C-alpha cells in the first residue's frame, strides 16, 4: 500500500506577514507576539476556512501534477481526506471551529472541480517556498532575505504564473485591487521578475465559501510604483519590527496607529482592539527614538521597575 503524503505547511520561514502587520500597526504586531508566546488558540471561522481550503487545493494540484507527470497521484491524500485530517493537527485554531467549517470548504471544493474541470495548465510546483533577496536587506541582525510560499506555480501558453488561493465570504470586484497592493503579492511579483519575459504575472484564485459559491481568477495589476519602492519600505519596517520584538517591551508600550482604517478593517475590527481600548500603559513617553529602540526600551523598563 502506498504511503500517502499530507501537505500541511504553514507560513514560510521568514515570510512577510509579520512585517506587513508592523507596517499597519506596530502595537498590533506586539499583541500578536504576546499571543504567540501564550499559544493562544484562535476561533476565527474565516481563518479556519482559509487553512482548510489551502490544504484541499494543495492536494488537488499535487495529484494533478502527478497525473501530468505519469506518476501515481495516490502518493498524496485526496483533498477530502486531507481536509478532514486537519482539525486534529492545527494547534493555533480551535478544532471545533475547523470541524464546523469542514463541510463548507468541502462543498466549495466540489464546486471548484466542476468550475475548472476543463482548465489547461501544467502544474510546475505546489506550496513552493522561495527565497527572495532584496536590495537594502541583510543589515546587522537582519535576515539576509525574505521568503514566500507560493501556493501554485503553473505554466500556460509558454508563460509562468504564480497563483495565490484566497477564500472569501463574498467575492467583490475590489478584491483584485486590494491584493495587488499587498506587500505579500508585491514580494512574489518581485521574485517573478527574475524569470524575465517568461513571467506571466500573479493570479488571485478566489473561492467564495458560502451558501452560494463563486470562483474567479483575476490577474493582479503590476503597480510598478509600489513594486519599485518595496525594498525600502520592507527594510525600514523590518528593522522597526525586529527592534521592538527584541526590546522586551510589553505590547501596550509599542506605538499604536489609532485609526478607523487599522482598528476597524474592511471586514471586522482588529482582533486586539479591546486590548488597546482598555490596557493603560504603565508609563508614558513621547520621546520616540529614530532607531535606538533598545535604548528607549531600557529607559522605559527601568521606570516601570522603580
Amino acid at each position: 500500500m502506498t504511503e500517502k503524503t499530507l501537505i500541511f505547511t504553514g507560513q514560510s520561514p521568514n515570510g512577510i506577514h509579520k512585517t506587513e502587520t508592523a507596517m499597519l500597526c506596530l502595537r498590533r504586531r506586539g499583541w500578536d507576539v504576546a499571543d504567540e508566546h501564550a499559544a493562544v488558540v484562535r476561533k476565527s471561522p474565516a481563518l479556519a476556512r482559509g487553512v482548510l481550503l489551502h490544504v484541499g487545493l494543495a492536494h488537488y494540484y499535487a495529484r494533478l501534477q502527478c497525473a501530468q507527470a505519469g506518476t501515481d497521484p495516490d502518493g498524496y491524500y485526496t483533498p477530502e481526506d486531507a481536509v478532514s485530517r486537519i482539525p486534529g493537527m492545527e494547534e493555533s485554531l480551535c478544532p471545533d471551529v475547523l470541524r464546523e467549517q469542514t463541510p463548507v470548504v468541502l462543498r466549495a471544493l466540489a464546486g471548484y472541480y466542476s468550475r475548472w474541470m476543463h482548465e489547461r495548465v501544467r502544474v510546475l510546483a505546489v506550496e513552493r517556498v522561495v527565497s527572495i533577496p532584496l536590495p537594502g536587506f541583510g543589515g546587522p541582525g537582519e535576515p539576509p532575505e525574505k521568503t514566500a510560499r507560493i501556493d501554485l506555480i503553473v505554466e500556460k501558453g509558454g508563460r509562468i504564473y504564480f497563483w495565490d488561493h484566497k477564500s472569501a465570504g463574498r467575492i467583490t470586484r475590489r478584491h483584485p485591487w486590494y491584493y495587488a497592493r499587498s506587500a505579500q503579492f508585491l514580494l512574489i511579483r518581485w521574485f517573478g521578475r527574475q524569470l524575465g519575459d517568461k513571467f506571466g504575472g500573479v493570479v488571485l484564485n478566489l473561492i467564495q465559501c458560502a451558501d452560494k459559491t463563486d470562483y474567479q481568477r483575476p490577474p493582479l495589476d503590476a503597480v510598478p510604483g509600489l513594486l519599485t519602492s518595496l525594498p525600502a519600505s520592507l527594510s525600514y519596517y523590518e528593522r522597526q519590527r525586529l527592534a521592538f520584538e527584541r526590546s522586551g517591551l510589553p505590547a501596550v508600550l509599542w506605538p499604536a496607529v489609532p485609526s478607523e482604517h487599522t482598528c476597524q478593517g474592511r471586514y471586522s475590527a482588529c482582533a486586539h482592539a479591546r486590548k488597546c481600548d482598555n490596557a493603560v500603559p504603565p508609563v508614558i513617553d513621547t520621546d520616540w527614538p529614530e532607531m535606538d529602540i533598545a535604548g528607549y526600551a531600557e529607559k522605559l523598563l527601568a521606570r516601570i521597575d522603580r
Side-chain angles (χ1 to χ4, degrees):
M1 183 176 179
T2 304
E3 184 177 349
K4 295 183 183 296
T5 298
L6 180 70
I7 305 171
F8 187 42
T9 53
Q11 295 181 357
S12 65
N14 186 36
I16 200 169
H17 292 87
K18 296 174 183 178
T19 313
E20 269 196 308
T21 302
M23 287 175 161
L24 188 66
C25 175
L26 269 168
R27 186 179 293 177
R28 181 184 292 193
R29 175 59 196 152
W31 292 125
D32 282 351
V33 170
D35 282 357
E36 289 166 11
H37 290 163
V40 171
V41 176
R42 294 167 293 176
K43 298 182 178 180
S44 165
L47 282 176
R49 288 193 296 271
V51 167
L52 296 172
L53 187 76
H54 274 79
V55 169
L57 290 175
H59 288 81
Y60 174 73
Y61 282 107
R63 290 171 65 89
L64 178 59
Q65 184 179 26
C66 288
Q68 291 176 346
T71 59
D72 184 8
D74 285 334
Y76 293 94
Y77 285 99
T78 66
E80 294 74 19
D81 285 345
V83 167
S84 298
R85 288 174 175 268
I86 299 307
M89 298 178 60
E90 170 56 62
E91 297 178 353
S92 67
L93 284 168
C94 174
D96 289 340
V97 175
L98 285 162
R99 291 187 189 96
E100 289 169 3
Q101 297 305 313
T102 295
V104 178
V105 170
L106 291 179
R107 183 171 63 248
L109 285 171
Y112 183 91
Y113 310 148
S114 176
R115 171 65 179 85
W116 300 112
M117 68 169 61
H118 299 302
E119 67 181 343
R120 293 290 182 266
V121 296
R122 184 164 67 95
V123 178
L124 301 180
V126 175
E127 296 288 340
R128 174 65 57 86
V129 174
V130 296
S131 296
I132 306 172
L134 288 166
F137 253 63
E142 293 179 22
E145 55 198 6
K146 299 301 285 181
T147 61
R149 189 180 302 280
I150 302 175
D151 291 342
L152 187 66
I153 303 176
V154 301
E155 183 269 329
K156 183 176 183 179
R159 306 190 78 190
I160 297 172
Y161 296 85
F162 296 163
W163 289 12
D164 193 274
H165 313 312
K166 291 293 182 189
S167 62
R170 183 172 66 90
I171 295 175
T172 72
R173 61 184 179 84
R174 299 292 286 172
H175 272 94
W177 194 95
Y178 289 133
Y179 283 116
R181 288 149 185 84
S182 160
Q184 173 194 356
F185 292 100
L186 290 170
L187 185 65
I188 61 175
R189 185 178 290 279
W190 184 279
F191 177 75
R193 295 198 312 179
Q194 299 179 44
L195 300 174
D197 292 340
K198 288 186 176 181
F199 182 53
V202 181
V203 174
L204 197 60
N205 190 24
L206 285 168
I207 296 96
Q208 182 169 295
C209 297
D211 291 339
K212 181 182 179 182
T213 56
D214 190 15
Y215 310 92
Q216 296 182 26
R217 286 193 188 145
L220 296 185
D221 293 339
V223 287
L226 287 175
L227 186 65
T228 303
S229 61
L230 181 68
S233 299
L234 284 185
S235 182
Y236 176 80
Y237 284 104
E238 184 78 341
R239 289 169 183 164
Q240 292 281 324
R241 177 184 75 82
L242 290 171
F244 271 96
E245 287 186 11
R246 294 164 179 165
S247 71
L249 287 175
V252 71
L253 291 177
W254 294 32
V257 181
S259 164
E260 69 274 22
H261 303 297
T262 52
C263 303
Q264 175 63 51
R266 293 203 311 270
Y267 305 115
S268 62
C270 169
H272 307 297
R274 292 299 182 195
K275 298 174 192 172
C276 284
D277 287 350
N278 299 305
V280 179
V283 294
I284 295 294
D285 195 314
T286 57
D287 186 23
W288 289 106
E290 287 298 317
M291 287 304 294
D292 183 23
I293 294 167
Y296 173 79
E298 184 178 2
K299 179 179 69 172
L300 282 191
L301 291 171
R303 289 173 58 186
I304 295 172
D305 291 339
R306 280 206 301 264

